[in-house]
Amino acid sequence: MEKLIINGASSLNGEVIISGAKNSSLPILAATILAEGTYNIDNIPALRDINTMFKLLENVGVTSSFQNNSAVIDNTGTNVYEAPYELVKTMRASIVLLGPLLAKKGKAKVSLPGGCAIGERPVDLHIAALEKMGANIEVKDGYIFAECPRLQGVEIVFDKVTVTGTENIMMAAALANGTTILKNAAQEPEVVDLADFLRKMGADIEGDGTNTITIKGKDKLHSANHSIMPDRIEAGTFLCAVAGVGGDITLKKCPVHTMDAIIEKLRLAGLEINVIDDETINAKMHGQIKAVDVKTAPYPAFPTDMQAQFMAVMLKSNGVSVINESIFENRFMHVPEFKRMGADITLNDSNAVVKGVPSFSGAPVMASDLRASAGLVIAALMAEHGSSVHRIYHLDRGYEGFEVKLNKLGANIERVKDNE
Ligand code: UD1
């Protein structure tokens, strides 16, 4: 295992290039199951979760070579339709294989993803939607067994907004017989990126980016090329880092138009943000952080994937900030760790009440999930003394070269072996 040794930074300055979006790459890679052929996909971040997805695909006959953020993928068509537990257990997003496997092969056997640190995270809505499309589904021995010679287009009203649920059903519906209408669909930009890719493959999809998506099923799709959208969460994380520490940074290749809620809240916190063009942002922070309340909710509201990083900024605000987590029931695992560093936070169900303190010390802290680890790194940069962040394999699931990019901005972070 590895850990990060982090010394507090006085400011962050310079340019950072934002990587491709993990949460867009995963479903887009899964979509290559839907048609035989060769695909060229660029701007894929080199991350642990991406490697897991390549292994899952290889298992069902889709091979790839991945270099310099570009993948050449070859789907030669096989009858294998299983996503095994050994791989799925490391990445819940593996559930996005269920829709494409079932639609293309008529059968799918996908390990049930377990709960995870941030909450129970069931997949009942994915299963109910596929059943409504005519699939026979049985959950036994820890696996989802699904079968259906050809899915049928239907209207589906999701009980809750689900990102991977919307993506799974959109992929399945692309090869279904007839028209599928998804209501209360997720509007996340990553859903739009997937829809763009599916359209390049010949799918007929309209309404992505709104809460109603219409998919007219096709008998066959074909391979296509694509460049993954940049990662709005990584971009937002760097904005939080400069808001917390101070300095002057410029984000390049940044998906500016997808970041309204993040930009608005950080401006209220005192970050001076200048949008230079549709993929460049300059952000300056000088002076006191202002307390701002935040509630996480589905896009276009403030993302749950930015909650821990934003909370880190609030640790040193000039007042009291109430952070409400409305998506996941247990996404405050970073709070006890922030408190160990000297933060003043009271937890009250889905609210974290953060009382800003003028300064706090560093401490050894433990990462519990992907975005919590990013929050801990930001807090460590804001702290007076050195910190160590343990279990950073969580961080490596979702941030490409995080400490390398931060060090280029002037941080002092060292990755070392951890004999925990
Ligand atoms: C996706 C993102 C994740 C982000 C989350 C919320 C990917 C790979 N992951 O996760 O980074 O944190 O959206 O924006 O894109 N739910 C059910 N039943 C279901 C499905 C979901 O009850 O069948 C609930 C969940 O427990 C949660 C809420 O719906 O409370 C939203 O979950 P969902 O959008 O599905 O999250 P993911 O797609 O897993």
Side-chain angles (χ1 to χ4, degrees):
M1 264 201 270
E2 292 176 322
K3 64 181 170 187
L4 296 180
I5 307 287
I6 304 178
N7 289 309
S10 52
S11 67
L12 297 173
N13 297 285
E15 272 182 17
V16 55
I17 296 173
I18 301 305
S19 298
K22 167 181 86 78
N23 285 354
S24 182
S25 305
L26 294 173
I28 284 174
L29 292 174
T32 64
I33 290 174
L34 292 168
E36 286 87 5
T38 303
Y39 299 77
N40 288 287
I41 304 190
D42 296 333
N43 207 32
I44 303 172
L47 301 170
R48 264 193 38 199
D49 276 10
I50 299 294
N51 286 333
T52 306
M53 182 53 81
F54 283 135
K55 283 188 200 149
L56 282 158
L57 287 174
E58 200 175 328
N59 216 50
V60 294
V62 180
T63 57
S64 50
S65 69
F66 182 46
Q67 263 181 356
N68 300 327
N69 299 109
S70 293
V72 180
I73 296 173
D74 205 15
N75 180 349
T76 49
T78 66
N79 294 326
V80 191
Y81 52 81
E82 180 176 345
Y85 174 71
E86 292 66 41
L87 293 170
V88 173
K89 71 174 182 201
T90 67
M91 182 176 78
R92 286 188 43 86
S94 318
I95 191 68
V96 291
L97 293 165
L98 179 62
L101 283 176
L102 181 58
K104 177 67 179 163
K105 301 178 190 250
K107 274 185 176 188
K109 178 183 175 190
V110 176
S111 171
L112 209 52
C116 70
I118 67 174
E120 197 187 341
R121 300 183 85 176
V123 291
D124 55 322
L125 301 174
H126 303 232
I127 292 176
L130 290 171
E131 279 178 335
K132 194 161 182 202
M133 295 176 81
N136 223 323
I137 300 189
E138 205 183 346
V139 178
K140 63 169 187 197
D141 309 329
Y143 276 83
I144 303 167
F145 294 83
E147 211 167 344
C148 189
R150 179 96 194 257
L151 292 162
Q152 185 64 39
V154 288
E155 180 174 303
I156 291 158
V157 184
F158 286 109
D159 283 349
K160 250 184 161 180
V161 176
T162 160
V163 179
T164 46
T166 300
E167 292 166 343
N168 232 340
I169 306 309
M170 201 163 72
M171 289 187 275
L175 279 182
N177 177 37
T179 299
T180 302
I181 300 175
L182 304 182
K183 295 195 167 166
N184 198 25
Q187 304 176 49
E188 265 66 3
E190 293 77 13
V191 173
V192 176
D193 204 19
L194 172 62
D196 283 341
F197 178 60
L198 291 170
R199 277 188 286 266
K200 290 179 187 170
M201 293 176 69
D204 183 344
I205 302 176
E206 281 176 13
D208 45 296
T210 75
N211 63 6
T212 305
I213 304 177
T214 305
I215 307 119
K216 290 187 185 135
K218 292 286 179 85
D219 291 339
K220 212 172 175 337
L221 300 174
H222 52 79
S223 62
N225 302 331
H226 192 68
S227 185
I228 301 288
M229 68 171 284
D231 196 318
R232 66 196 167 99
I233 304 301
E234 188 199 9
T237 300
F238 279 101
L239 291 181
C240 284
V242 73
V245 174
D248 180 343
I249 68 170
T250 299
L251 308 186
K252 300 260 171 151
K253 289 198 186 172
C254 174
V256 178
H257 65 286
T258 66
M259 294 177 65
D260 291 353
I262 300 169
I263 289 175
E264 186 176 316
K265 288 294 176 184
L266 283 168
R267 277 188 173 140
L268 290 172
L271 186 65
E272 195 186 311
I273 297 179
N274 287 308
V275 174
I276 293 168
D277 58 40
D278 59 7
E279 48 178 43
T280 316
I281 286 184
N282 175 258
K284 293 189 185 75
M285 185 75 183
H286 303 291
Q288 176 66 50
I289 300 163
K290 297 189 187 78
V292 179
D293 295 343
V294 154
K295 178 185 165 98
T296 67
Y299 190 84
F302 192 86
T304 173
D305 280 355
M306 284 300 305
Q307 183 253 105
Q309 304 90 311
F310 192 82
M311 191 186 295
V313 180
M314 289 299 108
L315 300 181
K316 268 197 191 174
S317 86
N318 64 350
V320 176
S321 153
V322 179
I323 298 182
N324 178 273
E325 172 56 57
S326 85
I327 310 275
F328 294 112
E329 69 272 20
N330 193 24
R331 204 170 196 176
F332 283 136
M333 305 280 282
H334 38 286
V335 168
E337 303 300 304
F338 284 158
K339 286 171 85 162
R340 296 185 60 251
M341 296 173 113
D344 182 346
I345 309 173
T346 312
L347 270 187
N348 192 349
D349 292 332
S350 58
N351 286 331
V353 181
V354 185
K355 196 162 169 239
V357 292
S359 68
F360 53 86
S361 61
V365 288
M366 188 88 85
S368 54
D369 66 75
L370 166 55
R371 305 303 169 185
S373 14
L376 291 176
V377 171
I378 294 173
L381 288 171
M382 294 164 66
E384 293 292 307
H385 309 291
S387 303
S388 50
V389 180
H390 300 255
R391 302 210 178 158
I392 51 161
Y393 54 86
H394 289 294
L395 193 70
D396 296 337
R397 281 190 40 222
Y399 288 91
E400 189 178 44
F402 193 41
E403 83 274 15
V404 177
K405 289 184 181 184
L406 282 167
N407 283 343
K408 274 198 190 138
L409 298 174
N412 178 354
I413 306 179
E414 205 186 341
R415 181 182 283 258
V416 297
K417 285 248 165 303
D418 190 0
N419 303 318
E420 188 190 321

